[in-house]
Amino acid sequence: MFEVFKKELLELIRDKKTLFFVLALPMLIFPVIMALVGFLGSQAALKAEQKVHTYYLVNEQYGQAYAERVFYHKSFKKYDGNEQFTSIEQLKQAVRDGVIDVGIYLENDPEKMLAQGKQANWQVVFNDAQSINFIYDRLRSLANEFSDSLREQTLVSLGIEKTKQQAILQPIQISKIDTADKRENLGEKLGAFIPYLLIPLVLMGASYPAIDLGAGEKERGTLETLLLTPVTRTQLVLGKFLTVLLSSLACATVTVLSMAVWVSVAIGFVELDTVKSAFSSVTGADFLLIFALLVPIAAIFSSLVLAISIYARTFKEAQNYMAPLSMGVFLPILISVMPNMELSAKTALIPVTNVALAIKEIIKGTVDYGLLSMIVIASVALAALLLAFCVRWFSKEEVLFR
């Protein structure tokens, strides 16, 4: 078995393409993803923050003070064209045509409506399809300022002092005291997405060598020679399995180390104190726990991809089979990010989902070590079952020589 392992490992090391996907790519993917997401996100936010929007205000006489606030705001520029818009529909069409960015329709005078004990209705017409958009929030903020001043004037005219107005308008003030620390809060939001990066990379680390060790051997015609050696089928499978497993673990190791290094680097550059304090509490022991969870997952994937590779007639056919498997891995990961999905005795038995949930709990700092042990036992049992199937699969002539 170890002779087969040694032979396959030497061939794997000589393959530069496989080494790139197993070792180099995981080292590069985290800095590239983090840098790209950070750069694009900051650029998009900066662009949205600095953009000046052309506006058109209908019935300006109903809110002269508000119109002045919008006019002098750095983010808005008054429409200086010749077209006139008098209705909501006309404003909608103007926004669709790109004539203006936003239309503001003042339906009635708030001072007169307030005297009648009614609310004024103002409408903002704009395209809200963009994910980062400050138009509505800024216009609403300006409207709230104007509304606050009107309310204050009205209450003063009714004989209510300014010092008592807040208490009358809001007799009870409710404040929130969150028992979760910053790490738990941020880990709940970001920790669920880390398995999206880690687990597929572990599968990729197993896929490339497995295709070569199974379908590649068939295509080169070296499988028959290997079967003639005084080595049992079980030993052959175990030797190949150990090679694939080592490759997958190498990918997992490099991935976790890369993540740990680049998270520590990012903490030094990021300016948000919340992110700093949250991720600075993720220790080396936490990264070791994440790696320990990836080991049985690597064994599961190694058994699966090796069985698929043994079944395939050619290298290309094996690659075609790997594509659905790669897509299928995302389904249990997707389950782990569903709302209110938590690690429990039930979810600890769902393959891949259990590891994804456990990684999130580790990042949050709320991991249950009893459930962690259950996940390892369940994953190891599944890996052993799949390995036994792989050995059985390799013993069938109709599979080897299709």
Side-chain angles (χ1 to χ4, degrees), residues 94 107 124 146 166 226 284 361 375 401:
E107 187 174 327
V124 178
F146 181 54
Q166 186 62 34
L226 195 61
E361 294 295 324
I375 291 171
F401 304 105

Side-chain angles (χ1 to χ4, degrees), residues 36-57:
L36 188 62
V37 170
F39 175 75
L40 293 178
S42 62
Q43 288 298 308
L46 184 63
K47 185 178 178 181
E49 178 74 26
Q50 295 178 343
K51 187 175 180 180
V52 178
H53 305 279
T54 303
Y55 76 93
Y56 189 94
L57 199 152

Side-chain angles (χ1 to χ4, degrees), residues 49 91 99 113 134-135 161 219 226 265 303 347 363:
E49 178 74 26
L91 290 175
V99 177
M113 296 297 289
F134 298 105
I135 294 177
E161 299 176 11
E219 203 165 26
L226 195 61
V265 170
S303 302
T347 55
I363 299 298

Side-chain angles (χ1 to χ4, degrees), residues 154-221:
T154 304
L155 292 174
V156 169
S157 67
L158 293 173
I160 301 173
E161 299 176 11
K162 289 184 179 181
T163 55
K164 297 180 179 179
Q165 289 180 11
Q166 186 62 34
I168 293 172
L169 293 173
Q170 190 177 5
I172 300 175
Q173 183 178 3
I174 300 177
S175 57
K176 180 177 70 173
I177 300 176
D178 192 357
T179 58
D181 57 20
K182 293 178 181 177
R183 175 180 174 180
E184 187 176 348
N185 268 321
L186 198 61
E188 179 65 31
K189 297 175 179 67
L190 300 180
F193 294 97
I194 290 178
Y196 265 106
L197 298 175
L198 293 179
I199 295 176
L201 283 173
V202 173
L203 175 61
M204 184 185 70
S207 298
Y208 282 94
I211 292 173
D212 187 65
L213 296 182
E217 291 267 18
K218 284 185 179 182
E219 203 165 26
R220 291 191 299 268

Side-chain angles (χ1 to χ4, degrees), residues 138-149:
R138 285 170 177 165
L139 290 175
R140 183 177 61 178
S141 176
L142 294 174
N144 286 339
E145 290 176 11
F146 181 54
S147 178
D148 290 343
S149 65

Side-chain angles (χ1 to χ4, degrees), residues 9-264:
L9 186 59
L10 287 173
E11 290 184 1
L12 181 64
I13 294 173
R14 293 191 188 106
D15 188 354
K16 293 181 181 179
K17 182 180 177 182
T18 302
L19 285 178
F20 171 78
F21 282 104
V22 171
L23 298 177
L25 187 60
M27 292 176 66
L28 297 172
I29 196 166
F30 275 103
V32 169
I33 288 176
M34 291 175 71
L36 188 62
V37 170
F39 175 75
L40 293 178
S42 62
Q43 288 298 308
L46 184 63
K47 185 178 178 181
E49 178 74 26
Q50 295 178 343
K51 187 175 180 180
V52 178
H53 305 279
T54 303
Y55 76 93
Y56 189 94
L57 199 152
V58 181
N59 298 329
E60 186 174 326
Q61 68 275 12
Y62 291 158
Q64 197 63 44
Y66 175 71
E68 290 178 5
R69 283 185 169 94
V70 177
F71 181 80
Y72 289 109
H73 197 284
K74 64 179 182 178
S75 299
F76 298 104
K77 180 182 70 172
K78 193 171 185 178
Y79 173 68
D80 56 2
N82 297 322
E83 293 184 64
Q84 299 292 319
F85 312 108
T86 58
S87 66
I88 292 291
E89 289 303 320
Q90 289 179 344
L91 290 175
K92 284 182 180 179
Q93 192 59 46
V95 171
R96 292 193 192 103
D97 295 339
V99 177
I100 58 174
D101 295 319
V102 56
I104 309 168
Y105 186 79
L106 311 186
E107 187 174 327
N108 34 43
D109 189 337
E111 293 187 25
K112 291 181 179 179
M113 296 297 289
L114 189 59
Q116 300 172 18
K118 298 179 181 179
Q119 284 183 316
N121 185 27
W122 291 3
Q123 294 170 295
V124 178
V125 181
F126 71 108
N127 189 333
D128 197 24
Q130 295 180 347
S131 56
I132 303 177
N133 199 326
F134 298 105
I135 294 177
Y136 181 73
D137 289 338
R138 285 170 177 165
L139 290 175
R140 183 177 61 178
S141 176
L142 294 174
N144 286 339
E145 290 176 11
F146 181 54
S147 178
D148 290 343
S149 65
L150 287 178
R151 181 177 60 234
E152 184 178 314
Q153 292 172 15
T154 304
L155 292 174
V156 169
S157 67
L158 293 173
I160 301 173
E161 299 176 11
K162 289 184 179 181
T163 55
K164 297 180 179 179
Q165 289 180 11
Q166 186 62 34
I168 293 172
L169 293 173
Q170 190 177 5
I172 300 175
Q173 183 178 3
I174 300 177
S175 57
K176 180 177 70 173
I177 300 176
D178 192 357
T179 58
D181 57 20
K182 293 178 181 177
R183 175 180 174 180
E184 187 176 348
N185 268 321
L186 198 61
E188 179 65 31
K189 297 175 179 67
L190 300 180
F193 294 97
I194 290 178
Y196 265 106
L197 298 175
L198 293 179
I199 295 176
L201 283 173
V202 173
L203 175 61
M204 184 185 70
S207 298
Y208 282 94
I211 292 173
D212 187 65
L213 296 182
E217 291 267 18
K218 284 185 179 182
E219 203 165 26
R220 291 191 299 268
T222 56
L223 182 61
E224 291 83 351
T225 306
L226 195 61
L227 292 172
L228 292 174
T229 58
V231 180
T232 64
R233 299 285 178 91
T234 301
Q235 290 173 327
L236 281 175
V237 174
L238 291 177
K240 290 179 179 291
F241 169 77
L242 288 176
T243 307
V244 177
L245 179 62
L246 181 63
S247 172
S248 184
L249 289 177
C251 187
T253 304
V254 172
T255 300
V256 174
L257 286 175
S258 176
M259 184 178 69
V261 169
W262 289 107
V263 163
S264 63

